[in-house]
């Protein structure tokens, strides 16, 4: 990429930053919300990270009743743990020895931000969004994830009002680990389904 393109991108980012700042200032002046409201919301957004989804996975691994509830209604299960998902419908997808799930949003980048934080750049890329539905096994291999031919791969396409999160297989030999330690094994990419634990 040449310098001209870099400066053009920076100029447009600067424009949008200034526009955001002006709109925010106007809305505060009009009393739509306060500066404290903005700060509180930014802190809430910053607190969202894959550890929240990992907490759900670890609980499902150690509590079969919670796992059943999560598979039936992911939003309600998240709320049980104090993880607000808002008006979106959260669907938890269980990996099994014969089934591997992976998520995508083919139209844009719908993503369970409330449980995983900001989406990675590759998740939003046209390359990932278009290829994972056509050749999921090959895309997963590019992440270093080799799924045996005997294991079915299902690709789930998020929508504006519905999000998915993968419940990965619990690794063998982890029966002695605490729920907190199990949560530390879970990664963002395993919650999307592009990697295993």
């Amino acid at each position: 990429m040449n310098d001209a393109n870099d400066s053009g991108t920076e100029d447009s980012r600067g424009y949008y930053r200034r526009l955001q700042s002006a709109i925010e200032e106007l809305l505060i002046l009009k009393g739509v919300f306060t500066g404290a409201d903005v700060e509180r919301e930014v802190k809430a957004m910053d607190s969202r990270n894959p550890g929240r989804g990992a907490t759900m996975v670890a609980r499902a691994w150690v509590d079969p009743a919670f796992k059943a509830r999560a598979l039936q209604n992911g939003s309600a299960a998240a709320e049980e743990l104090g993880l607000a998902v808002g008006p979106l419908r959260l669907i938890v997808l269980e990996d099994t020895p014969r089934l591997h799930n992976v998520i995508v949003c083919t139209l844009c980048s719908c993503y369970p931000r409330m449980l995983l934080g900001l989406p990675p750049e590759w998740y939003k890329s046209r390359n990932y969004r278009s290829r994972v539905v056509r050749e999921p096994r090959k895309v997963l291999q590019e992440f270093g994830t080799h799924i045996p031919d005997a294991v079915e791969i299902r690709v789930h396409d998020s929508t504006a009002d519905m999000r998915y999160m993968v419940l990965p297989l619990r690794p063998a030999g982890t029966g002695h680990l605490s729920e907190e330690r199990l949560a530390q094994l879970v990664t963002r990419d395993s919650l999307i389904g592009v990697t295993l634990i």
Side-chain angles (χ1 to χ4, degrees), residues 134-145:
R134 290 191 329 265
E135 48 187 12
R137 203 170 297 274
K138 185 173 181 181
V139 170
L140 294 181
Q141 286 174 352
E142 292 169 12
F143 280 91
T145 305

Side-chain angles (χ1 to χ4, degrees), residues 131-197:
R131 290 184 56 228
V132 75
V133 295
R134 290 191 329 265
E135 48 187 12
R137 203 170 297 274
K138 185 173 181 181
V139 170
L140 294 181
Q141 286 174 352
E142 292 169 12
F143 280 91
T145 305
H146 302 280
I147 305 295
D149 290 340
V151 175
E152 177 188 356
I153 298 175
R154 285 190 194 153
V155 179
H156 303 269
D157 194 0
S158 297
T159 67
D161 58 355
M162 181 175 57
R163 302 290 190 275
Y164 295 103
M165 184 185 82
V166 174
L167 172 59
L169 280 170
R170 182 175 178 169
T174 60
H176 65 287
L177 296 180
S178 68
E179 187 174 331
E180 182 179 282
R181 181 67 184 100
L182 287 168
Q184 293 171 4
L185 301 177
V186 182
T187 66
R188 175 200 67 200
D189 291 356
S190 67
L191 295 167
I192 298 170
V194 294
T195 62
L196 304 172
I197 296 178

Side-chain angles (χ1 to χ4, degrees), residues 39-51:
E39 188 174 320
R40 187 174 44 257
E41 191 58 33
V42 168
K43 283 183 181 178
M45 285 189 278
D46 288 345
S47 74
R48 297 174 189 154
N49 62 62

